[in-house]
Amino acid sequence: MDITKREITKIARETGKFTVRTLRADGIGTGEFDVIHVIRKNPGTTQSDICRILGIDKGACAREVNNLEAKGYIRRESNPEDGRSQLIYATAKAEKLKISKVEVEAAFYTWLLEDLDEEDKEAFAGILDVLYHKCKNESKAGFPHMQERIQKTREEKRSV
């Protein structure tokens, strides 16, 4: 049983709703935020890499990349190693957008925690940091522990 009731996910979802609503003035949608994030974290990436990282199909990725380029958030360069692909980079406009997104999210989380006393805030932040690093390490490794658990659960359900 999940004692967290997925409340971390629910808080993140509500924060995301607020952030997207607030930043809609920049003309960027949720999918475009995700693509910009991948490009910022992987300068010189390709559309194929974006598809793989985000788990989206080629058509959706092409639309997102074309829209972002038209809006001035990314730029493409020829790939010297592969004439069929292009390397994609974030522009200064995308960097400013990231800063705006971080500021909106930070304001939301500050508001969310403002009713806690300092001791509770520190304890919560410490636990959250431990969970974040465990999550990030699992992600960087390709989710081996989680894949094993999901596979085990699926096998148990099939055998019933």
Side-chain angles (χ1 to χ4, degrees):
M1 177 163 200
D2 177 16
I3 65 168
T4 70
K5 298 182 267 181
R6 298 180 46 253
E7 288 179 335
I8 294 170
T9 301
K10 293 172 185 175
I11 290 168
R13 186 179 304 128
E14 298 305 323
T15 304
K17 283 182 198 175
F18 175 73
T19 303
V20 168
R21 190 176 296 167
T22 303
L23 296 178
R24 182 91 31 188
D26 291 322
I28 299 296
T30 308
E32 290 171 321
F33 274 136
D34 293 341
V35 171
I36 288 172
H37 180 74
V38 168
I39 295 167
R40 286 188 66 259
K41 292 292 184 183
N42 304 281
T45 193
T46 64
Q47 281 187 201
S48 294
D49 292 333
I50 296 168
C51 291
R52 181 183 45 78
I53 292 167
L54 293 178
I56 60 176
D57 65 56
K58 290 180 182 180
C61 184
R63 283 188 300 278
E64 299 286 357
V65 168
N66 287 337
N67 288 340
L68 290 169
E69 185 177 34
K71 294 174 184 178
Y73 289 102
I74 64 165
R75 63 182 172 79
R76 299 188 230 201
E77 295 180 8
S78 296
N79 185 345
E81 296 176 12
D82 179 1
R84 297 171 295 155
S85 69
Q86 295 178 317
L87 304 178
I88 306 170
Y89 298 90
T91 63
K93 187 175 180 180
E95 294 299 329
K96 289 178 186 173
L97 177 67
K98 188 261 180 190
I99 292 167
S100 297
K101 185 176 185 222
V102 168
E103 291 169 350
V104 171
E105 290 170 341
F108 190 90
Y109 288 126
T110 298
W111 167 81
L112 193 60
L113 297 175
E114 71 186 8
D115 296 333
L116 299 178
D117 63 36
E118 289 306 312
E119 188 176 320
D120 286 345
K121 286 179 190 176
E122 290 296 323
F124 175 73
I127 292 168
L128 195 59
D129 189 59
V130 168
L131 295 176
Y132 169 74
H133 282 93
K134 182 177 182 179
C135 175
K136 194 65 177 176
N137 289 336
E138 181 74 358
S139 174
K140 284 181 179 180
F143 300 101
H145 299 101
M146 291 310 307
Q147 287 177 344
E148 181 181 321
R149 286 182 186 215
I150 295 300
Q151 183 64 33
K152 189 180 215 180
T153 300
R154 287 178 177 158
E155 289 170 4
E156 289 170 357
K157 285 184 178 184
R158 280 188 215 124
S159 67
V160 173

